[in-house]
Amino acid sequence: QLQFVESGGGLVQPGGSLRLSCAASGFIPDLYAIGWFRQAPGKEREGVSCISSNGSRTKYLDSVKGRFTISRDNAKNTVYLQMNSLKPEDTGVYYCARVPLCGSSTWAARGDYWGQGTQVTVSS
């Protein structure tokens, strides 16, 4: 069973930064893409970013481009999401999940293995 655990969330002021981690464990496949998702109160879950199995391809939600950076360290079985210049609208529960090809325009349509999420709150 492939498992993920998210960490790194917390309370931060607007303009601040956080780095989220997504650690994989269990039966880790040789090749897998990872997506970061978030769900704000009263809103639908949306795909924030994804990264391909070898890190060569990435995608970002338009509203986070230039502020967020996704990366991975396969030696540590961990994917990161560096979030800078945070805004109140970035508030939500952030999840990571295995997703289809990150190069696909529909990468966020589905995920099969999910973590439990980590809360990010951006507020003065």
Side-chain angles (χ1 to χ4, degrees), residues 55-95:
S56 64
R57 293 183 177 182
T58 59
K59 287 185 176 292
Y60 296 93
L61 185 68
D62 285 344
S63 62
V64 309
K65 288 181 179 178
R67 300 188 297 118
F68 290 12
T69 302
I70 191 170
S71 63
R72 68 191 300 161
D73 185 343
N74 285 344
K76 297 181 178 179
N77 296 317
T78 301
V79 174
Y80 304 97
L81 185 66
Q82 179 67 46
M83 305 186 296
N84 299 326
S85 302
L86 283 163
K87 304 175 181 179
E89 62 213 62
D90 296 318
T91 293
V93 179
Y94 283 68
Y95 304 87

PDB file of all heavy atoms in Angstrom, residues 55-95:
ATOM      1  N   GLY A  55      10.991  14.672 -11.984  1.00  0.00           N
ATOM      2  CA  GLY A  55      11.089  16.092 -11.720  1.00  0.00           C
ATOM      3  C   GLY A  55      11.269  16.965 -12.939  1.00  0.00           C
ATOM      4  O   GLY A  55      11.431  18.184 -12.802  1.00  0.00           O
ATOM      5  N   SER A  56      11.228  16.388 -14.130  1.00  0.00           N
ATOM      6  CA  SER A  56      11.502  17.154 -15.336  1.00  0.00           C
ATOM      7  C   SER A  56      10.334  18.024 -15.783  1.00  0.00           C
ATOM      8  O   SER A  56      10.531  18.998 -16.517  1.00  0.00           O
ATOM      9  CB  SER A  56      11.908  16.225 -16.481  1.00  0.00           C
ATOM     10  OG  SER A  56      10.857  15.352 -16.830  1.00  0.00           O
ATOM     11  N   ARG A  57       9.133  17.685 -15.375  1.00  0.00           N
ATOM     12  CA  ARG A  57       7.948  18.449 -15.757  1.00  0.00           C
ATOM     13  C   ARG A  57       7.183  18.884 -14.521  1.00  0.00           C
ATOM     14  O   ARG A  57       7.006  18.104 -13.591  1.00  0.00           O
ATOM     15  CB  ARG A  57       7.040  17.628 -16.673  1.00  0.00           C
ATOM     16  CG  ARG A  57       7.630  17.324 -18.041  1.00  0.00           C
ATOM     17  CD  ARG A  57       6.646  16.585 -18.909  1.00  0.00           C
ATOM     18  NE  ARG A  57       7.160  16.353 -20.256  1.00  0.00           N
ATOM     19  CZ  ARG A  57       6.482  15.755 -21.218  1.00  0.00           C
ATOM     20  NH1 ARG A  57       5.259  15.306 -20.995  1.00  0.00           N
ATOM     21  NH2 ARG A  57       7.035  15.581 -22.403  1.00  0.00           N
ATOM     22  N   THR A  58       6.741  20.112 -14.551  1.00  0.00           N
ATOM     23  CA  THR A  58       5.924  20.657 -13.466  1.00  0.00           C
ATOM     24  C   THR A  58       4.790  21.480 -14.043  1.00  0.00           C
ATOM     25  O   THR A  58       4.880  22.009 -15.153  1.00  0.00           O
ATOM     26  CB  THR A  58       6.746  21.539 -12.512  1.00  0.00           C
ATOM     27  OG1 THR A  58       7.329  22.625 -13.238  1.00  0.00           O
ATOM     28  CG2 THR A  58       7.858  20.733 -11.847  1.00  0.00           C
ATOM     29  N   LYS A  59       3.726  21.600 -13.279  1.00  0.00           N
ATOM     30  CA  LYS A  59       2.594  22.442 -13.636  1.00  0.00           C
ATOM     31  C   LYS A  59       2.132  23.186 -12.393  1.00  0.00           C
ATOM     32  O   LYS A  59       2.288  22.701 -11.269  1.00  0.00           O
ATOM     33  CB  LYS A  59       1.443  21.617 -14.220  1.00  0.00           C
ATOM     34  CG  LYS A  59       1.688  21.097 -15.626  1.00  0.00           C
ATOM     35  CD  LYS A  59       0.452  20.408 -16.173  1.00  0.00           C
ATOM     36  CE  LYS A  59       0.657  19.965 -17.614  1.00  0.00           C
ATOM     37  NZ  LYS A  59       0.750  21.149 -18.517  1.00  0.00           N
ATOM     38  N   TYR A  60       1.550  24.367 -12.622  1.00  0.00           N
ATOM     39  CA  TYR A  60       1.085  25.197 -11.526  1.00  0.00           C
ATOM     40  C   TYR A  60      -0.266  25.815 -11.844  1.00  0.00           C
ATOM     41  O   TYR A  60      -0.551  26.183 -12.992  1.00  0.00           O
ATOM     42  CB  TYR A  60       2.065  26.334 -11.239  1.00  0.00           C
ATOM     43  CG  TYR A  60       3.419  25.882 -10.765  1.00  0.00           C
ATOM     44  CD1 TYR A  60       4.457  25.682 -11.667  1.00  0.00           C
ATOM     45  CD2 TYR A  60       3.663  25.655  -9.422  1.00  0.00           C
ATOM     46  CE1 TYR A  60       5.706  25.265 -11.239  1.00  0.00           C
ATOM     47  CE2 TYR A  60       4.909  25.233  -8.981  1.00  0.00           C
ATOM     48  CZ  TYR A  60       5.927  25.042  -9.897  1.00  0.00           C
ATOM     49  OH  TYR A  60       7.165  24.627  -9.465  1.00  0.00           O
ATOM     50  N   LEU A  61      -1.070  25.932 -10.819  1.00  0.00           N
ATOM     51  CA  LEU A  61      -2.287  26.724 -10.907  1.00  0.00           C
ATOM     52  C   LEU A  61      -1.895  28.165 -11.230  1.00  0.00           C
ATOM     53  O   LEU A  61      -0.923  28.685 -10.681  1.00  0.00           O
ATOM     54  CB  LEU A  61      -3.033  26.643  -9.578  1.00  0.00           C
ATOM     55  CG  LEU A  61      -4.395  27.297  -9.439  1.00  0.00           C
ATOM     56  CD1 LEU A  61      -5.427  26.572 -10.278  1.00  0.00           C
ATOM     57  CD2 LEU A  61      -4.811  27.296  -7.972  1.00  0.00           C
ATOM     58  N   ASP A  62      -2.626  28.820 -12.114  1.00  0.00           N
ATOM     59  CA  ASP A  62      -2.271  30.167 -12.541  1.00  0.00           C
ATOM     60  C   ASP A  62      -2.084  31.127 -11.364  1.00  0.00           C
ATOM     61  O   ASP A  62      -1.174  31.962 -11.372  1.00  0.00           O
ATOM     62  CB  ASP A  62      -3.331  30.726 -13.492  1.00  0.00           C
ATOM     63  CG  ASP A  62      -3.246  30.127 -14.882  1.00  0.00           C
ATOM     64  OD1 ASP A  62      -2.219  29.514 -15.210  1.00  0.00           O
ATOM     65  OD2 ASP A  62      -4.221  30.282 -15.649  1.00  0.00           O
ATOM     66  N   SER A  63      -2.912  31.013 -10.361  1.00  0.00           N
ATOM     67  CA  SER A  63      -2.871  31.946  -9.252  1.00  0.00           C
ATOM     68  C   SER A  63      -1.649  31.786  -8.351  1.00  0.00           C
ATOM     69  O   SER A  63      -1.383  32.661  -7.524  1.00  0.00           O
ATOM     70  CB  SER A  63      -4.148  31.830  -8.411  1.00  0.00           C
ATOM     71  OG  SER A  63      -4.268  30.544  -7.841  1.00  0.00           O
ATOM     72  N   VAL A  64      -0.905  30.693  -8.497  1.00  0.00           N
ATOM     73  CA  VAL A  64       0.276  30.487  -7.658  1.00  0.00           C
ATOM     74  C   VAL A  64       1.578  30.569  -8.441  1.00  0.00           C
ATOM     75  O   VAL A  64       2.659  30.493  -7.839  1.00  0.00           O
ATOM     76  CB  VAL A  64       0.220  29.142  -6.901  1.00  0.00           C
ATOM     77  CG1 VAL A  64      -1.103  29.004  -6.166  1.00  0.00           C
ATOM     78  CG2 VAL A  64       0.458  27.964  -7.835  1.00  0.00           C
ATOM     79  N   LYS A  65       1.511  30.738  -9.745  1.00  0.00           N
ATOM     80  CA  LYS A  65       2.722  30.824 -10.555  1.00  0.00           C
ATOM     81  C   LYS A  65       3.584  32.001 -10.110  1.00  0.00           C
ATOM     82  O   LYS A  65       3.088  33.096  -9.884  1.00  0.00           O
ATOM     83  CB  LYS A  65       2.368  30.970 -12.038  1.00  0.00           C
ATOM     84  CG  LYS A  65       1.813  29.716 -12.667  1.00  0.00           C
ATOM     85  CD  LYS A  65       1.498  29.929 -14.143  1.00  0.00           C
ATOM     86  CE  LYS A  65       0.972  28.657 -14.779  1.00  0.00           C
ATOM     87  NZ  LYS A  65       0.609  28.868 -16.198  1.00  0.00           N
ATOM     88  N   GLY A  66       4.867  31.741  -9.994  1.00  0.00           N
ATOM     89  CA  GLY A  66       5.798  32.755  -9.535  1.00  0.00           C
ATOM     90  C   GLY A  66       5.931  32.845  -8.036  1.00  0.00           C
ATOM     91  O   GLY A  66       6.846  33.507  -7.535  1.00  0.00           O
ATOM     92  N   ARG A  67       5.024  32.201  -7.313  1.00  0.00           N
ATOM     93  CA  ARG A  67       5.057  32.223  -5.853  1.00  0.00           C
ATOM     94  C   ARG A  67       5.358  30.847  -5.253  1.00  0.00           C
ATOM     95  O   ARG A  67       6.009  30.754  -4.220  1.00  0.00           O
ATOM     96  CB  ARG A  67       3.732  32.732  -5.290  1.00  0.00           C
ATOM     97  CG  ARG A  67       3.382  34.142  -5.732  1.00  0.00           C
ATOM     98  CD  ARG A  67       2.162  34.683  -4.985  1.00  0.00           C
ATOM     99  NE  ARG A  67       0.959  33.894  -5.255  1.00  0.00           N
ATOM    100  CZ  ARG A  67       0.283  33.222  -4.337  1.00  0.00           C
ATOM    101  NH1 ARG A  67       0.689  33.231  -3.061  1.00  0.00           N
ATOM    102  NH2 ARG A  67      -0.810  32.549  -4.662  1.00  0.00           N
ATOM    103  N   PHE A  68       4.861  29.793  -5.889  1.00  0.00           N
ATOM    104  CA  PHE A  68       5.051  28.429  -5.395  1.00  0.00           C
ATOM    105  C   PHE A  68       6.043  27.692  -6.277  1.00  0.00           C
ATOM    106  O   PHE A  68       6.094  27.905  -7.499  1.00  0.00           O
ATOM    107  CB  PHE A  68       3.733  27.656  -5.407  1.00  0.00           C
ATOM    108  CG  PHE A  68       2.709  28.107  -4.398  1.00  0.00           C
ATOM    109  CD1 PHE A  68       2.853  29.287  -3.694  1.00  0.00           C
ATOM    110  CD2 PHE A  68       1.588  27.320  -4.158  1.00  0.00           C
ATOM    111  CE1 PHE A  68       1.901  29.698  -2.771  1.00  0.00           C
ATOM    112  CE2 PHE A  68       0.635  27.715  -3.244  1.00  0.00           C
ATOM    113  CZ  PHE A  68       0.787  28.902  -2.550  1.00  0.00           C
ATOM    114  N   THR A  69       6.805  26.793  -5.674  1.00  0.00           N
ATOM    115  CA  THR A  69       7.743  25.953  -6.406  1.00  0.00           C
ATOM    116  C   THR A  69       7.636  24.521  -5.894  1.00  0.00           C
ATOM    117  O   THR A  69       7.771  24.279  -4.696  1.00  0.00           O
ATOM    118  CB  THR A  69       9.186  26.442  -6.248  1.00  0.00           C
ATOM    119  OG1 THR A  69       9.299  27.792  -6.698  1.00  0.00           O
ATOM    120  CG2 THR A  69      10.126  25.567  -7.074  1.00  0.00           C
ATOM    121  N   ILE A  70       7.404  23.591  -6.802  1.00  0.00           N
ATOM    122  CA  ILE A  70       7.345  22.183  -6.439  1.00  0.00           C
ATOM    123  C   ILE A  70       8.672  21.519  -6.793  1.00  0.00           C
ATOM    124  O   ILE A  70       9.303  21.861  -7.789  1.00  0.00           O
ATOM    125  CB  ILE A  70       6.163  21.479  -7.140  1.00  0.00           C
ATOM    126  CG1 ILE A  70       5.925  20.086  -6.555  1.00  0.00           C
ATOM    127  CG2 ILE A  70       6.371  21.412  -8.648  1.00  0.00           C
ATOM    128  CD1 ILE A  70       4.623  19.442  -7.031  1.00  0.00           C
ATOM    129  N   SER A  71       9.100  20.598  -5.958  1.00  0.00           N
ATOM    130  CA  SER A  71      10.342  19.871  -6.195  1.00  0.00           C
ATOM    131  C   SER A  71      10.246  18.503  -5.538  1.00  0.00           C
ATOM    132  O   SER A  71       9.315  18.233  -4.777  1.00  0.00           O
ATOM    133  CB  SER A  71      11.551  20.647  -5.655  1.00  0.00           C
ATOM    134  OG  SER A  71      11.463  20.807  -4.247  1.00  0.00           O
ATOM    135  N   ARG A  72      11.200  17.648  -5.837  1.00  0.00           N
ATOM    136  CA  ARG A  72      11.201  16.334  -5.204  1.00  0.00           C
ATOM    137  C   ARG A  72      12.615  15.838  -4.996  1.00  0.00           C
ATOM    138  O   ARG A  72      13.533  16.168  -5.749  1.00  0.00           O
ATOM    139  CB  ARG A  72      10.376  15.325  -6.013  1.00  0.00           C
ATOM    140  CG  ARG A  72      10.940  14.936  -7.362  1.00  0.00           C
ATOM    141  CD  ARG A  72       9.905  14.143  -8.179  1.00  0.00           C
ATOM    142  NE  ARG A  72       9.494  12.922  -7.504  1.00  0.00           N
ATOM    143  CZ  ARG A  72       8.375  12.238  -7.774  1.00  0.00           C
ATOM    144  NH1 ARG A  72       7.534  12.686  -8.712  1.00  0.00           N
ATOM    145  NH2 ARG A  72       8.087  11.122  -7.115  1.00  0.00           N
ATOM    146  N   ASP A  73      12.763  15.024  -3.975  1.00  0.00           N
ATOM    147  CA  ASP A  73      14.018  14.363  -3.663  1.00  0.00           C
ATOM    148  C   ASP A  73      13.701  12.879  -3.595  1.00  0.00           C
ATOM    149  O   ASP A  73      13.244  12.378  -2.569  1.00  0.00           O
ATOM    150  CB  ASP A  73      14.592  14.873  -2.344  1.00  0.00           C
ATOM    151  CG  ASP A  73      15.959  14.298  -2.034  1.00  0.00           C
ATOM    152  OD1 ASP A  73      16.345  13.279  -2.640  1.00  0.00           O
ATOM    153  OD2 ASP A  73      16.663  14.871  -1.174  1.00  0.00           O
ATOM    154  N   ASN A  74      13.922  12.187  -4.691  1.00  0.00           N
ATOM    155  CA  ASN A  74      13.542  10.783  -4.757  1.00  0.00           C
ATOM    156  C   ASN A  74      14.359   9.906  -3.809  1.00  0.00           C
ATOM    157  O   ASN A  74      13.895   8.853  -3.383  1.00  0.00           O
ATOM    158  CB  ASN A  74      13.664  10.266  -6.191  1.00  0.00           C
ATOM    159  CG  ASN A  74      12.540  10.760  -7.080  1.00  0.00           C
ATOM    160  OD1 ASN A  74      11.512  11.232  -6.592  1.00  0.00           O
ATOM    161  ND2 ASN A  74      12.720  10.655  -8.390  1.00  0.00           N
ATOM    162  N   ALA A  75      15.570  10.329  -3.479  1.00  0.00           N
ATOM    163  CA  ALA A  75      16.368   9.587  -2.514  1.00  0.00           C
ATOM    164  C   ALA A  75      15.709   9.575  -1.139  1.00  0.00           C
ATOM    165  O   ALA A  75      15.906   8.647  -0.353  1.00  0.00           O
ATOM    166  CB  ALA A  75      17.774  10.166  -2.416  1.00  0.00           C
ATOM    167  N   LYS A  76      14.924  10.618  -0.851  1.00  0.00           N
ATOM    168  CA  LYS A  76      14.204  10.709   0.415  1.00  0.00           C
ATOM    169  C   LYS A  76      12.725  10.379   0.265  1.00  0.00           C
ATOM    170  O   LYS A  76      11.977  10.469   1.238  1.00  0.00           O
ATOM    171  CB  LYS A  76      14.349  12.109   1.005  1.00  0.00           C
ATOM    172  CG  LYS A  76      15.775  12.488   1.359  1.00  0.00           C
ATOM    173  CD  LYS A  76      15.841  13.881   1.963  1.00  0.00           C
ATOM    174  CE  LYS A  76      17.258  14.244   2.352  1.00  0.00           C
ATOM    175  NZ  LYS A  76      17.342  15.606   2.930  1.00  0.00           N
ATOM    176  N   ASN A  77      12.307  10.019  -0.943  1.00  0.00           N
ATOM    177  CA  ASN A  77      10.905   9.713  -1.226  1.00  0.00           C
ATOM    178  C   ASN A  77       9.979  10.843  -0.779  1.00  0.00           C
ATOM    179  O   ASN A  77       8.908  10.603  -0.215  1.00  0.00           O
ATOM    180  CB  ASN A  77      10.494   8.397  -0.560  1.00  0.00           C
ATOM    181  CG  ASN A  77      11.241   7.207  -1.117  1.00  0.00           C
ATOM    182  OD1 ASN A  77      11.419   7.093  -2.320  1.00  0.00           O
ATOM    183  ND2 ASN A  77      11.667   6.307  -0.240  1.00  0.00           N
ATOM    184  N   THR A  78      10.394  12.064  -1.049  1.00  0.00           N
ATOM    185  CA  THR A  78       9.668  13.233  -0.564  1.00  0.00           C
ATOM    186  C   THR A  78       9.495  14.268  -1.666  1.00  0.00           C
ATOM    187  O   THR A  78      10.426  14.528  -2.429  1.00  0.00           O
ATOM    188  CB  THR A  78      10.391  13.872   0.635  1.00  0.00           C
ATOM    189  OG1 THR A  78      10.516  12.904   1.682  1.00  0.00           O
ATOM    190  CG2 THR A  78       9.612  15.059   1.166  1.00  0.00           C
ATOM    191  N   VAL A  79       8.305  14.845  -1.731  1.00  0.00           N
ATOM    192  CA  VAL A  79       7.985  15.946  -2.629  1.00  0.00           C
ATOM    193  C   VAL A  79       7.718  17.182  -1.777  1.00  0.00           C
ATOM    194  O   VAL A  79       7.085  17.087  -0.722  1.00  0.00           O
ATOM    195  CB  VAL A  79       6.770  15.613  -3.506  1.00  0.00           C
ATOM    196  CG1 VAL A  79       6.355  16.817  -4.338  1.00  0.00           C
ATOM    197  CG2 VAL A  79       7.091  14.440  -4.421  1.00  0.00           C
ATOM    198  N   TYR A  80       8.194  18.325  -2.241  1.00  0.00           N
ATOM    199  CA  TYR A  80       8.061  19.563  -1.495  1.00  0.00           C
ATOM    200  C   TYR A  80       7.241  20.585  -2.272  1.00  0.00           C
ATOM    201  O   TYR A  80       7.202  20.578  -3.501  1.00  0.00           O
ATOM    202  CB  TYR A  80       9.437  20.174  -1.202  1.00  0.00           C
ATOM    203  CG  TYR A  80      10.376  19.250  -0.480  1.00  0.00           C
ATOM    204  CD1 TYR A  80      11.322  18.505  -1.179  1.00  0.00           C
ATOM    205  CD2 TYR A  80      10.326  19.122   0.896  1.00  0.00           C
ATOM    206  CE1 TYR A  80      12.190  17.653  -0.530  1.00  0.00           C
ATOM    207  CE2 TYR A  80      11.189  18.279   1.566  1.00  0.00           C
ATOM    208  CZ  TYR A  80      12.121  17.543   0.851  1.00  0.00           C
ATOM    209  OH  TYR A  80      12.982  16.702   1.518  1.00  0.00           O
ATOM    210  N   LEU A  81       6.611  21.476  -1.541  1.00  0.00           N
ATOM    211  CA  LEU A  81       5.951  22.628  -2.132  1.00  0.00           C
ATOM    212  C   LEU A  81       6.386  23.857  -1.347  1.00  0.00           C
ATOM    213  O   LEU A  81       5.949  24.064  -0.213  1.00  0.00           O
ATOM    214  CB  LEU A  81       4.429  22.487  -2.102  1.00  0.00           C
ATOM    215  CG  LEU A  81       3.653  23.601  -2.807  1.00  0.00           C
ATOM    216  CD1 LEU A  81       3.916  23.567  -4.312  1.00  0.00           C
ATOM    217  CD2 LEU A  81       2.158  23.489  -2.534  1.00  0.00           C
ATOM    218  N   GLN A  82       7.276  24.642  -1.946  1.00  0.00           N
ATOM    219  CA  GLN A  82       7.720  25.883  -1.342  1.00  0.00           C
ATOM    220  C   GLN A  82       6.726  26.971  -1.696  1.00  0.00           C
ATOM    221  O   GLN A  82       6.481  27.229  -2.873  1.00  0.00           O
ATOM    222  CB  GLN A  82       9.114  26.262  -1.845  1.00  0.00           C
ATOM    223  CG  GLN A  82       9.652  27.575  -1.285  1.00  0.00           C
ATOM    224  CD  GLN A  82       9.925  27.522   0.196  1.00  0.00           C
ATOM    225  OE1 GLN A  82      10.525  26.559   0.672  1.00  0.00           O
ATOM    226  NE2 GLN A  82       9.482  28.531   0.933  1.00  0.00           N
ATOM    227  N   MET A  83       6.158  27.613  -0.697  1.00  0.00           N
ATOM    228  CA  MET A  83       5.131  28.621  -0.896  1.00  0.00           C
ATOM    229  C   MET A  83       5.636  29.946  -0.350  1.00  0.00           C
ATOM    230  O   MET A  83       5.861  30.084   0.851  1.00  0.00           O
ATOM    231  CB  MET A  83       3.829  28.213  -0.208  1.00  0.00           C
ATOM    232  CG  MET A  83       3.316  26.843  -0.624  1.00  0.00           C
ATOM    233  SD  MET A  83       1.688  26.450   0.082  1.00  0.00           S
ATOM    234  CE  MET A  83       2.105  26.422   1.831  1.00  0.00           C
ATOM    235  N   ASN A  84       5.813  30.909  -1.235  1.00  0.00           N
ATOM    236  CA  ASN A  84       6.268  32.239  -0.873  1.00  0.00           C
ATOM    237  C   ASN A  84       5.178  33.266  -1.163  1.00  0.00           C
ATOM    238  O   ASN A  84       4.242  32.997  -1.909  1.00  0.00           O
ATOM    239  CB  ASN A  84       7.539  32.606  -1.642  1.00  0.00           C
ATOM    240  CG  ASN A  84       8.701  31.688  -1.359  1.00  0.00           C
ATOM    241  OD1 ASN A  84       8.862  31.185  -0.250  1.00  0.00           O
ATOM    242  ND2 ASN A  84       9.543  31.468  -2.367  1.00  0.00           N
ATOM    243  N   SER A  85       5.335  34.437  -0.596  1.00  0.00           N
ATOM    244  CA  SER A  85       4.390  35.536  -0.811  1.00  0.00           C
ATOM    245  C   SER A  85       2.956  35.076  -0.613  1.00  0.00           C
ATOM    246  O   SER A  85       2.074  35.348  -1.422  1.00  0.00           O
ATOM    247  CB  SER A  85       4.579  36.124  -2.211  1.00  0.00           C
ATOM    248  OG  SER A  85       5.899  36.594  -2.403  1.00  0.00           O
ATOM    249  N   LEU A  86       2.724  34.391   0.478  1.00  0.00           N
ATOM    250  CA  LEU A  86       1.416  33.801   0.721  1.00  0.00           C
ATOM    251  C   LEU A  86       0.337  34.861   0.896  1.00  0.00           C
ATOM    252  O   LEU A  86       0.581  35.925   1.458  1.00  0.00           O
ATOM    253  CB  LEU A  86       1.472  32.905   1.951  1.00  0.00           C
ATOM    254  CG  LEU A  86       2.134  31.543   1.703  1.00  0.00           C
ATOM    255  CD1 LEU A  86       2.538  30.894   3.009  1.00  0.00           C
ATOM    256  CD2 LEU A  86       1.184  30.635   0.926  1.00  0.00           C
ATOM    257  N   LYS A  87      -0.840  34.528   0.402  1.00  0.00           N
ATOM    258  CA  LYS A  87      -2.002  35.396   0.456  1.00  0.00           C
ATOM    259  C   LYS A  87      -3.108  34.712   1.243  1.00  0.00           C
ATOM    260  O   LYS A  87      -3.147  33.487   1.332  1.00  0.00           O
ATOM    261  CB  LYS A  87      -2.503  35.703  -0.960  1.00  0.00           C
ATOM    262  CG  LYS A  87      -1.468  36.319  -1.878  1.00  0.00           C
ATOM    263  CD  LYS A  87      -2.023  36.473  -3.292  1.00  0.00           C
ATOM    264  CE  LYS A  87      -1.001  37.072  -4.222  1.00  0.00           C
ATOM    265  NZ  LYS A  87      -1.535  37.209  -5.598  1.00  0.00           N
ATOM    266  N   PRO A  88      -4.041  35.478   1.803  1.00  0.00           N
ATOM    267  CA  PRO A  88      -5.161  34.856   2.517  1.00  0.00           C
ATOM    268  C   PRO A  88      -5.927  33.844   1.675  1.00  0.00           C
ATOM    269  O   PRO A  88      -6.427  32.848   2.212  1.00  0.00           O
ATOM    270  CB  PRO A  88      -6.038  36.053   2.895  1.00  0.00           C
ATOM    271  CG  PRO A  88      -5.070  37.182   3.034  1.00  0.00           C
ATOM    272  CD  PRO A  88      -4.050  36.946   1.949  1.00  0.00           C
ATOM    273  N   GLU A  89      -6.008  34.063   0.377  1.00  0.00           N
ATOM    274  CA  GLU A  89      -6.714  33.144  -0.501  1.00  0.00           C
ATOM    275  C   GLU A  89      -6.009  31.805  -0.656  1.00  0.00           C
ATOM    276  O   GLU A  89      -6.584  30.866  -1.223  1.00  0.00           O
ATOM    277  CB  GLU A  89      -6.930  33.780  -1.881  1.00  0.00           C
ATOM    278  CG  GLU A  89      -5.632  34.112  -2.611  1.00  0.00           C
ATOM    279  CD  GLU A  89      -5.743  35.347  -3.480  1.00  0.00           C
ATOM    280  OE1 GLU A  89      -5.999  36.430  -2.920  1.00  0.00           O
ATOM    281  OE2 GLU A  89      -5.599  35.227  -4.710  1.00  0.00           O
ATOM    282  N   ASP A  90      -4.775  31.695  -0.172  1.00  0.00           N
ATOM    283  CA  ASP A  90      -4.065  30.422  -0.180  1.00  0.00           C
ATOM    284  C   ASP A  90      -4.462  29.530   0.987  1.00  0.00           C
ATOM    285  O   ASP A  90      -4.025  28.382   1.054  1.00  0.00           O
ATOM    286  CB  ASP A  90      -2.553  30.644  -0.134  1.00  0.00           C
ATOM    287  CG  ASP A  90      -2.024  31.352  -1.367  1.00  0.00           C
ATOM    288  OD1 ASP A  90      -2.452  31.015  -2.485  1.00  0.00           O
ATOM    289  OD2 ASP A  90      -1.160  32.244  -1.201  1.00  0.00           O
ATOM    290  N   THR A  91      -5.258  30.036   1.884  1.00  0.00           N
ATOM    291  CA  THR A  91      -5.689  29.274   3.052  1.00  0.00           C
ATOM    292  C   THR A  91      -6.478  28.038   2.637  1.00  0.00           C
ATOM    293  O   THR A  91      -7.323  28.092   1.745  1.00  0.00           O
ATOM    294  CB  THR A  91      -6.536  30.151   3.977  1.00  0.00           C
ATOM    295  OG1 THR A  91      -5.718  31.183   4.532  1.00  0.00           O
ATOM    296  CG2 THR A  91      -7.130  29.335   5.121  1.00  0.00           C
ATOM    297  N   GLY A  92      -6.210  26.929   3.288  1.00  0.00           N
ATOM    298  CA  GLY A  92      -6.937  25.708   3.027  1.00  0.00           C
ATOM    299  C   GLY A  92      -6.177  24.501   3.533  1.00  0.00           C
ATOM    300  O   GLY A  92      -5.082  24.617   4.067  1.00  0.00           O
ATOM    301  N   VAL A  93      -6.778  23.349   3.362  1.00  0.00           N
ATOM    302  CA  VAL A  93      -6.110  22.095   3.667  1.00  0.00           C
ATOM    303  C   VAL A  93      -5.399  21.622   2.409  1.00  0.00           C
ATOM    304  O   VAL A  93      -6.022  21.501   1.350  1.00  0.00           O
ATOM    305  CB  VAL A  93      -7.097  21.029   4.163  1.00  0.00           C
ATOM    306  CG1 VAL A  93      -6.371  19.718   4.450  1.00  0.00           C
ATOM    307  CG2 VAL A  93      -7.817  21.509   5.414  1.00  0.00           C
ATOM    308  N   TYR A  94      -4.116  21.360   2.531  1.00  0.00           N
ATOM    309  CA  TYR A  94      -3.306  20.940   1.394  1.00  0.00           C
ATOM    310  C   TYR A  94      -3.058  19.444   1.446  1.00  0.00           C
ATOM    311  O   TYR A  94      -2.656  18.903   2.478  1.00  0.00           O
ATOM    312  CB  TYR A  94      -1.973  21.691   1.381  1.00  0.00           C
ATOM    313  CG  TYR A  94      -2.085  23.109   0.876  1.00  0.00           C
ATOM    314  CD1 TYR A  94      -2.762  24.068   1.611  1.00  0.00           C
ATOM    315  CD2 TYR A  94      -1.519  23.479  -0.338  1.00  0.00           C
ATOM    316  CE1 TYR A  94      -2.888  25.367   1.144  1.00  0.00           C
ATOM    317  CE2 TYR A  94      -1.628  24.774  -0.812  1.00  0.00           C
ATOM    318  CZ  TYR A  94      -2.318  25.719  -0.072  1.00  0.00           C
ATOM    319  OH  TYR A  94      -2.431  27.006  -0.545  1.00  0.00           O
ATOM    320  N   TYR A  95      -3.303  18.781   0.334  1.00  0.00           N
ATOM    321  CA  TYR A  95      -3.142  17.347   0.207  1.00  0.00           C
ATOM    322  C   TYR A  95      -2.153  17.024  -0.903  1.00  0.00           C
ATOM    323  O   TYR A  95      -2.053  17.754  -1.887  1.00  0.00           O
ATOM    324  CB  TYR A  95      -4.462  16.670  -0.163  1.00  0.00           C
ATOM    325  CG  TYR A  95      -5.623  16.929   0.763  1.00  0.00           C
ATOM    326  CD1 TYR A  95      -6.446  18.027   0.591  1.00  0.00           C
ATOM    327  CD2 TYR A  95      -5.903  16.042   1.796  1.00  0.00           C
ATOM    328  CE1 TYR A  95      -7.525  18.257   1.431  1.00  0.00           C
ATOM    329  CE2 TYR A  95      -6.980  16.262   2.634  1.00  0.00           C
ATOM    330  CZ  TYR A  95      -7.786  17.366   2.450  1.00  0.00           C
ATOM    331  OH  TYR A  95      -8.856  17.585   3.284  1.00  0.00           O
TER     332      TYR A  95
END
